[in-house]
Amino acid sequence: MDYHLLHIVTLLTVIAFGGEIRKTTEACNSDDLQGLIGFKNGIPTDTSGRLAKWIGQNCCEWEGIVCENAYRVIQINLPGLISTDTDFYQTQMVGQLSPSITLLTSLEILDLGGLVGLSGTIPQTLGLQLTKLKKLYLYGNNLTGSIPESIGELQNLQELALHENKLSGPIPSSIGQMQALEKLDLSSNLLSGCIPSSLTNLTAISVLYMNTNYLEGTIPFPSRYGEMPSLAFLRLHDNYLSGTVPLNFGYLVSLQRVSLSNNKLEGPLPSSLGNLLSLSELYLSFNFLSGQIPKSIGQLSQLIMLNISNNLIEGPLPQEMSSLQNLQTLDLSFNPLNLTAIPEWLPNLSSLSMIYFAGCGIEGRIPDFLKTIHSSIQELDLSGNLLSGSIPSWIGSLTQLYLLNLSSNSLDSLIPDSISNLHDLGVLDLHSNRLTGSITGAFGIGQGNFGGSLTYIDLSDNNFSRGVEEIGVGGQFNIQFLNLSHNLLKGTLPSSLGRLSYIQSLDLSYNDLASNLPEVLANLSSLEKLKLQKNHFIGNIPNGFLNLRNLKELNLSDNFLEGEIPDGKPLIDFPGSSYSGNKGLCGKPLSPCKTMISIKL
Ligand SMILES: *[C@@H]1O[C@H](CO)[C@@H](O)[C@H](O)[C@H]1NC(C)=O
Ligand SMILES: *[C@@H]1O[C@H](CO)[C@@H](O)[C@H](O)[C@H]1NC(C)=O
Ligand SMILES: *[C@@H]1O[C@H](CO)[C@@H](O)[C@H](O)[C@H]1NC(C)=O
Ligand SMILES: *[C@@H]1O[C@H](CO)[C@@H](O)[C@H](O)[C@H]1NC(C)=O
Ligand SMILES: *[C@@H]1O[C@H](CO)[C@@H](O)[C@H](O)[C@H]1NC(C)=O
Ligand SMILES: *[C@@H]1O[C@H](CO)[C@@H](O)[C@H](O)[C@H]1NC(C)=O
Ligand SMILES: *[C@@H]1O[C@H](CO)[C@@H](O)[C@H](O)[C@H]1NC(C)=O
Ligand SMILES: *[C@@H]1O[C@H](CO)[C@@H](O)[C@H](O)[C@H]1NC(C)=O
Ligand SMILES: *[C@@H]1O[C@H](CO)[C@@H](O)[C@H](O)[C@H]1NC(C)=O
Ligand SMILES: *[C@@H]1O[C@H](CO)[C@@H](O)[C@H](O)[C@H]1NC(C)=O
């Protein structure tokens, strides 16, 4: 649009809306203009280039500005993340948020979200001056200082997003006066003190996020039925909140997702929880909650995720839980549940796919009824229990399995061959059991259908004795983490090890391996940790090890290696104890070689 056309449009707009009488159609309201110029002057660097185009007097035409009647500025839309038709890009404004922003007294929307380089404080008088504000987005900035008490004057404010800043001090209790407030996000700041009890007066609130701060004291709401009737999303996790989950918590009948994890909450879960019929996700882990899970939990027919891990919850589990037909994830790990056995009604949970019962005092064999779970189990964690006997071969029929963690039990079988049927298995942790035989079961060796989905294998601290020669043979390998340490593995390292191209951590320490260090180890360029100590390796350290540029941890100690340590990074930067206890290693970081050089020539 050329300049004259714009001019005409402006004129027409003024005529059409019969706007206020003004000296010139080219200028916006002088307070607004002054406020915006002050804002721009606070920001020396703007990588988006938007402010550079703010010239002249007619601020209503500036990028990011919306006016009413081509005169009063009602919106400032300058988010850091800019989206075009085709993509998104992140921009920066480096500078201070100018208090002159408070001159824009007709503002309804102020969006300066995601401008990480924007620092300064929220102007103290903002709430007294920008009384028409409906949306205030100052999240993702570098703002410091406290939230001004005046904020409570914003009677029209519907959305207040101040998350991801460095705001400190208490949450002003005046916030409870904001009758229109629907979304309040103060998460990820440095806020301290108590949650103001005035929040119970927020009749329109639907989203309330105050997680990841330094808040303490009790959860003050609800005090009676009917308060916060629309509250659906509540996040208070990662604070220092104490006291109990309020007895009347069940009055917040619109709740859908609640996270109270990682606080200091104690006492029993109130049975009023059962009134939260819309609840779909409940996160309570890492608190000091005690007592039994209330029977009323069975009424939560919409519940998808229940995470109570790391509390002081006692058994037994109420049978009513068996009616949670939508439950997909159940994490009860690390509670003094003394379950003794996995409850027999577990297969009745027809949607269950992630089962975390670590450290729940489960004894005996892995029960066969688990195989009858209708749904497809994707994650099964029974680690840290007292399980004995074998890993059942029906495990191979859980075809959706992605994670299997049976570590720290007393299982004493072989790895069943059927494990190689698990095409989607990504994480296999069987460490600290009494498993025997060959490790190759874990790799699906010899099975034509092995797809290389495994990225994490921990078989350490068992009694495996065979199979090392077959690592990397057949199939395709995406393993990033492999720990076979503390076993009874014998034999030689195969050159097929070189096919584990993505491996970052390889631990074969504390075994009976006896061979040269194969040259192909030097091909594993992603390797960050290599632990081969306490074996019977012989020969020299291959020169190729100098190619292991990403290596941060190396231990070759207590073997029978000899000769010069290849002279260069990263090898010379490791401590002497990475090489000690060998037959005859020399050179940096150990003492210099004497006659070795001539031998090599
Ligand atoms: C945040 O502000 C502080 C000073 O208040 C400054 O030192 C720091 O560099 C700023 N951080 C960013 C990301 O701009
Ligand atoms: C809630 O609002 C009422 C009426 O405005 C007021 O009397 C009361 O003190 C407020 N409650 C809290 C806890 O601030
Ligand atoms: C349960 O919550 C804890 C803490 O937030 C988390 O580490 C764990 O992964 C969660 N469990 C599941 C199954 O998501
Ligand atoms: C749970 O088991 C532990 C260890 O076996 C025992 O010390 C404790 O008394 C048991 N607690 C209950 C409530 O049965
Ligand atoms: C679980 O399901 C079985 C078979 O459908 C049924 O007989 C049993 O009563 C159910 N158990 C519970 C606790 O709901
Ligand atoms: C298996 O569970 C134990 C806790 O019992 C945990 O320490 C370990 O990290 C888990 N393994 C994986 C791969 O998540
Ligand atoms: C492993 O086997 C050795 C004998 O080779 C035995 O002494 C030891 O108790 C076994 N360890 C476990 C955890 O079963
Ligand atoms: C491998 O497992 C052993 C024993 O379980 C453990 O001590 C060691 O830290 C693990 N290695 C790596 C690299 O995680
Ligand atoms: C190791 O790398 C060399 C050179 O890139 C290559 O010729 C050789 O085939 C690789 N060995 C294996 C086992 O991948
Ligand atoms: C290497 O392993 C030995 C034996 O386990 C240990 O004493 C030493 O501290 C380790 N050194 C490094 C650098 O990890």
Side-chain angles (χ1 to χ4, degrees), residues 339-549:
L339 282 188
T340 314
I342 296 176
E344 285 187 27
W345 46 257
L346 202 72
N348 292 38
L349 301 179
S350 57
S351 303
L352 201 58
S353 65
M354 322 244 182
I355 303 172
Y356 282 77
F357 278 17
C360 288
I362 301 167
E363 300 168 5
R365 303 172 69 87
I366 298 174
D368 283 348
F369 65 73
L370 274 185
K371 79 177 154 191
T372 68
I373 293 198
H374 305 238
S375 65
S376 351
I377 302 183
Q378 290 170 8
E379 301 184 9
L380 178 62
D381 183 346
L382 300 176
S383 63
N385 281 297
L386 305 162
L387 293 168
S388 54
S390 62
I391 300 178
S393 69
W394 54 255
I395 212 100
S397 67
L398 303 177
T399 51
Q400 307 287 307
L401 203 60
Y402 165 75
L403 176 145
L404 180 62
N405 192 345
L406 301 175
S407 64
S408 303
N409 279 290
S410 301
L411 300 166
D412 60 5
S413 65
L414 306 172
I415 299 178
D417 288 343
S418 63
I419 267 201
S420 61
N421 297 335
L422 300 174
H423 299 276
D424 295 329
L425 193 64
V427 178
L428 177 64
D429 190 348
L430 303 177
H431 83 263
S432 300
N433 277 287
R434 295 182 196 153
L435 300 168
T436 55
S438 172
I439 58 170
T440 52
F443 295 85
I445 306 290
Q447 310 288 322
N449 53 13
F450 182 67
S453 54
L454 275 163
T455 59
Y456 186 108
I457 302 178
D458 191 346
L459 304 180
S460 65
D461 192 18
N462 276 292
N463 260 356
F464 290 112
S465 56
R466 291 181 288 114
V468 166
E469 288 86 352
E470 289 178 87
I471 299 176
V473 174
Q476 178 197 337
F477 295 92
N478 293 308
I479 298 173
Q480 291 165 15
F481 179 98
L482 177 60
N483 194 344
L484 302 175
S485 74
H486 295 270
N487 275 293
L488 308 169
L489 294 169
K490 295 175 196 47
T492 60
L493 291 186
S495 63
S496 53
L497 250 186
R499 300 186 59 201
L500 310 186
S501 329
Y502 302 102
I503 195 135
Q504 291 167 12
S505 176
L506 177 63
D507 192 343
L508 305 174
S509 62
Y510 293 85
N511 276 295
D512 294 324
L513 298 167
S515 66
N516 287 302
L517 298 179
E519 284 280 353
V520 290
L521 277 175
N523 284 29
L524 305 179
S525 55
S526 303
L527 212 51
E528 292 173 11
K529 283 189 190 178
L530 178 61
K531 303 181 108 183
L532 303 175
Q533 75 267 28
K534 298 269 185 189
N535 276 290
H536 310 292
F537 289 115
I538 55 170
N540 296 328
I541 301 174
N543 267 319
F545 273 36
L546 295 173
N547 298 334
L548 299 174
R549 296 286 167 181

Side-chain angles (χ1 to χ4, degrees), residues 238-373:
D238 296 329
N239 278 295
Y240 297 95
L241 299 172
S242 56
T244 60
V245 177
L247 210 57
N248 293 336
F249 204 66
Y251 287 167
L252 300 170
V253 288
S254 297
L255 282 176
Q256 292 177 38
R257 292 190 208 142
V258 175
S259 69
L260 308 177
S261 314
N262 213 13
N263 277 291
K264 299 197 291 187
L265 299 171
E266 59 187 16
L269 287 171
S271 60
S272 72
L273 262 185
N275 297 338
L276 303 177
L277 298 181
S278 302
L279 197 64
S280 63
E281 296 176 30
L282 181 59
Y283 301 87
L284 299 170
S285 54
F286 291 100
N287 278 291
F288 303 102
L289 300 169
S290 58
Q292 294 180 354
I293 296 178
K295 292 185 189 337
S296 61
I297 202 157
Q299 297 162 30
L300 303 180
S301 59
Q302 301 303 309
L303 201 62
I304 291 171
M305 151 66 90
L306 177 61
N307 191 340
I308 317 187
S309 66
N310 293 278
N311 276 288
L312 303 171
I313 301 289
E314 288 164 17
L317 298 174
Q319 209 171 72
E320 286 75 5
M321 285 180 80
S322 67
S323 45
L324 298 173
Q325 289 305 310
N326 280 306
L327 196 66
Q328 293 173 10
T329 305
L330 176 59
D331 191 344
L332 300 176
S333 300
F334 303 111
N335 278 289
L337 280 164
N338 281 24
L339 282 188
T340 314
I342 296 176
E344 285 187 27
W345 46 257
L346 202 72
N348 292 38
L349 301 179
S350 57
S351 303
L352 201 58
S353 65
M354 322 244 182
I355 303 172
Y356 282 77
F357 278 17
C360 288
I362 301 167
E363 300 168 5
R365 303 172 69 87
I366 298 174
D368 283 348
F369 65 73
L370 274 185
K371 79 177 154 191
T372 68
I373 293 198

Side-chain angles (χ1 to χ4, degrees), residues 169-282:
I171 297 172
S173 65
S174 65
I175 280 189
Q177 301 162 23
M178 302 167 84
Q179 289 306 305
L181 198 62
E182 292 165 16
K183 297 185 182 175
L184 174 61
D185 192 343
L186 305 178
S187 63
S188 300
N189 276 291
L190 310 170
L191 299 167
S192 55
C194 296
I195 299 176
S197 57
S198 62
L199 292 192
T200 53
N201 270 353
L202 293 173
T203 49
I205 198 82
S206 157
V207 177
L208 181 55
Y209 295 164
M210 300 194 286
N211 57 282
T212 322
N213 277 291
Y214 296 96
L215 300 173
E216 56 190 24
T218 59
I219 300 172
F221 49 79
S223 59
R224 57 173 190 279
Y225 190 79
E227 273 171 357
M228 307 168 102
S230 308
L231 184 61
F233 306 101
L234 176 64
R235 293 185 185 163
L236 299 175
H237 60 266
D238 296 329
N239 278 295
Y240 297 95
L241 299 172
S242 56
T244 60
V245 177
L247 210 57
N248 293 336
F249 204 66
Y251 287 167
L252 300 170
V253 288
S254 297
L255 282 176
Q256 292 177 38
R257 292 190 208 142
V258 175
S259 69
L260 308 177
S261 314
N262 213 13
N263 277 291
K264 299 197 291 187
L265 299 171
E266 59 187 16
L269 287 171
S271 60
S272 72
L273 262 185
N275 297 338
L276 303 177
L277 298 181
S278 302
L279 197 64
S280 63
E281 296 176 30
L282 181 59

Side-chain angles (χ1 to χ4, degrees), residues 19 126 133 164 217 279 525 588:
L126 182 133
L133 269 184
E164 290 166 50
L279 197 64
S525 55
K588 276 185 209 160

